[in-house]
Amino acid sequence: AQSVTQLGSHVSVSEGALVLLRCNYSSSVPPYLFWYVQYPNQGLQLLLKYTTGATLVKGINGFEAEFKKSETSFHLTKPSAHMSDAAEYFCAVSNTGGFKTIFGAGTRLFVKA
Amino acid sequence: DVKVTQSSRYLVKRTGEKVFLECVQDMDHENMFWYRQDPGLGLRLIYFSYDVKMKEKGDIPEGYSVSREKKERFSLILESASTNQTSMYLCASRGDGAGQPQHFGDGTRLSIL
């Protein structure tokens, strides 16, 4: 069975600091991995995804994530936080042939001035 | 750009009422999904549909039903609303293939009094 664990329900960083949001997954077959962002009173929108190929994936708004199969991780990073990055972030996993996408519980990012 | 439109942003209903939540997508996607989102629990799948008139139960289908009479429209029905169904409801659509991202509506915040 697939599962997703996001470490830390809340993360707080200062503006300009590194953002690191952690995601670990379990999957019996090669996974597809996603990061979504949700701003207040909105639905989720795709930040980036990993399907096959290069393990370092670049997304929108300066975010990137690295697929590490040996660690079953897909952590999200951004070198320098901006106030507009304050939102909730969801890691998700799906598999070939499956309809379901499994979402993590989410990590709320706070950015301090 | 994919557009997923949910008919209401906010809805207040009474216990025992039959409630309809409507979702329309404009990208001819085969797959559509209904989730509920609660703090600390992430997104939980209620029902999904992979074709017109086809539906499958998700992880928490009790108390809900769905209808998909046309490809672009997927309706969620609360047969007899209860207070524990107060939540944020998100609709999503997805093209063919598990590696495709889901596209979300802005959500309906439903309160059952």
Side-chain angles (χ1 to χ4, degrees):
Chain A
Q2 299 169 267
S3 67
V4 177
T5 302
Q6 291 185 239
L7 298 175
S9 58
H10 297 84
V11 170
S12 183
V13 300
S14 297
E15 194 172 21
L18 171 73
V19 175
L20 171 61
L21 304 183
R22 299 178 188 273
C23 173
N24 288 88
Y25 69 91
S26 68
S27 177
S28 57
V29 297
Y32 299 118
L33 295 160
F34 307 85
W35 275 100
Y36 291 86
V37 61
Q38 184 180 34
Y39 298 103
N41 297 317
Q42 293 185 25
L44 281 67
Q45 55 182 276
L46 181 70
L47 265 182
L48 49 81
K49 67 175 183 177
Y50 168 79
T51 52
T52 58
T55 56
L56 182 62
V57 181
K58 294 187 185 298
I60 61 172
N61 300 339
F63 284 93
E64 62 183 37
E66 187 171 9
F67 170 57
K68 291 188 176 180
K69 184 178 178 181
S70 61
E71 298 177 8
T72 62
S73 69
F74 191 56
H75 302 330
L76 182 70
T77 60
K78 181 174 180 177
S80 176
H82 192 272
M83 297 297 288
S84 60
D85 295 326
E88 190 156 21
Y89 293 80
F90 293 90
C91 182
V93 63
S94 65
N95 286 336
T96 302
F99 289 102
K100 290 185 181 181
T101 299
I102 307 301
F103 289 84
T107 297
R108 186 167 295 277
L109 176 66
F110 296 92
V111 182
K112 299 173 291 187
Chain B
D1 232 13
V2 177
K3 182 76 174 173
V4 178
T5 303
Q6 295 185 231
S7 54
S8 304
R9 294 297 303 274
Y10 301 93
L11 208 52
V12 180
K13 296 291 182 181
R14 297 209 172 272
T15 303
E17 281 193 70
K18 192 169 187 176
V19 181
F20 294 85
L21 303 184
E22 307 287 346
C23 175
V24 177
Q25 51 99 357
D26 66 357
M27 281 302 293
D28 204 35
H29 284 166
E30 291 79 7
N31 306 295
M32 296 188 75
F33 306 83
W34 274 107
Y35 297 91
R36 64 176 283 174
Q37 182 181 15
D38 300 289
L41 297 178
L43 276 67
R44 293 181 291 168
L45 182 64
I46 304 171
Y47 268 95
F48 65 97
S49 168
Y50 52 89
D51 202 351
V52 176
K53 296 191 186 296
M54 305 304 291
K55 59 187 179 185
E56 292 284 344
K57 293 180 180 179
D59 300 315
I60 52 165
E62 297 77 20
Y64 303 94
S65 63
V66 289
S67 172
R68 191 157 180 212
E69 297 297 318
K70 294 185 177 181
K71 191 173 187 178
E72 67 270 19
R73 186 180 297 270
F74 192 36
S75 303
L76 179 70
I77 304 153
L78 285 65
E79 298 291 344
S80 177
S82 65
T83 55
N84 62 11
Q85 293 177 309
T86 291
S87 187
M88 169 71 91
Y89 289 86
L90 292 169
C91 175
S93 73
R94 197 199 75 194
D96 246 355
Q100 297 297 315
Q102 297 195 12
H103 299 267
F104 287 84
D106 283 337
T108 296
R109 189 166 293 281
L110 176 64
S111 296
I112 307 296
L113 304 180

